[in-house]
Amino acid sequence: MQQSKNDIWVGLFVVLGAAALVFLALQAANLLQLNWQRGYTVSARFDNIGGLKPQAAVRSAGVVVGRVQSIGFDDQTYQARVTLELDKRYAFPKDSSLKILTSGLLGDQYIGIEAGYEEAHLAAGDTISATQSAVVLENLIGQFLYGKAEESAGASKPQ
């Protein structure tokens, strides 16, 4: 069987196309991060992280300034411990606060960092204490329904 040059070029083109599709799929799923600059890591504790995942974005003013490096559970305080890797070109004050936010109504969750006013900046290994947990949609619906049930029960009681 004789192979022609065209067969080799077509095969190479197909392999490159498949590699490009895999690359795009990993980028879209936030599973691939091409950042050769290492940043600095800080940690925070949250009562509830909702659906936050590793590699989720850390944003400030809508700009991605870092990524969630890892998520763990602290069995001493019964809180979620989140480690963030912030880009070293962004320096945030030590009194900055973190919130877990959602992109859109049912979108991915990310961490929003709101800069504080202190002159000293966060350094590697610092812990951010001012945190606000995720708003869980199921809890909101439950509170709404429970409030409506109490309201209707109170209205039906004779006075």
Side-chain angles (χ1 to χ4, degrees):
M1 199 154 81
Q2 220 175 23
Q3 292 184 354
S4 69
K5 279 189 172 182
N6 287 341
D7 290 342
I8 293 172
W9 284 110
V10 168
L12 184 64
F13 182 74
V14 169
V15 168
L16 286 175
L21 284 175
V22 168
F23 173 78
L24 288 174
L26 290 174
Q27 278 288 101
N30 236 358
L31 297 174
L32 180 67
Q33 181 182 3
L34 297 177
N35 185 3
W36 289 278
Q37 289 184 3
R38 300 306 295 176
Y40 59 99
T41 59
V42 296
S43 62
R45 298 186 195 286
F46 292 92
D47 291 329
N48 188 347
I49 60 166
L52 188 70
K53 295 180 176 96
Q55 296 301 318
V58 177
R59 297 179 185 195
S60 181
V63 177
V64 176
V65 296
R67 295 270 174 200
V68 173
Q69 190 175 46
S70 66
I71 298 173
F73 183 73
D74 186 352
D75 57 358
Q76 308 289 307
T77 62
Y78 302 106
Q79 291 179 314
R81 184 181 55 252
V82 179
T83 305
L84 312 172
E85 184 173 357
L86 300 175
D87 195 334
K88 64 182 171 184
R89 62 186 161 163
Y90 303 115
F92 290 96
K94 281 190 180 277
D95 63 341
S96 297
S97 63
L98 301 176
K99 296 180 188 176
I100 298 179
L101 302 167
T102 304
S103 299
L105 185 60
L106 298 173
D108 286 339
Q109 289 190 317
Y110 65 94
I111 292 185
I113 184 166
E114 199 168 306
Y117 298 100
E118 198 171 306
E119 287 187 28
H121 293 293
L122 289 170
D126 284 349
T127 299
I128 299 174
S129 58
T131 61
Q132 182 178 348
S133 294
V135 176
V136 181
L137 189 59
E138 291 86 4
N139 291 347
L140 285 177
I141 292 170
Q143 288 175 351
F144 176 74
L145 293 176
Y146 181 71
K148 287 292 183 184
E150 272 189 353
E151 192 176 286
S152 64
S156 65
K157 286 185 181 180
Q159 303 227 359

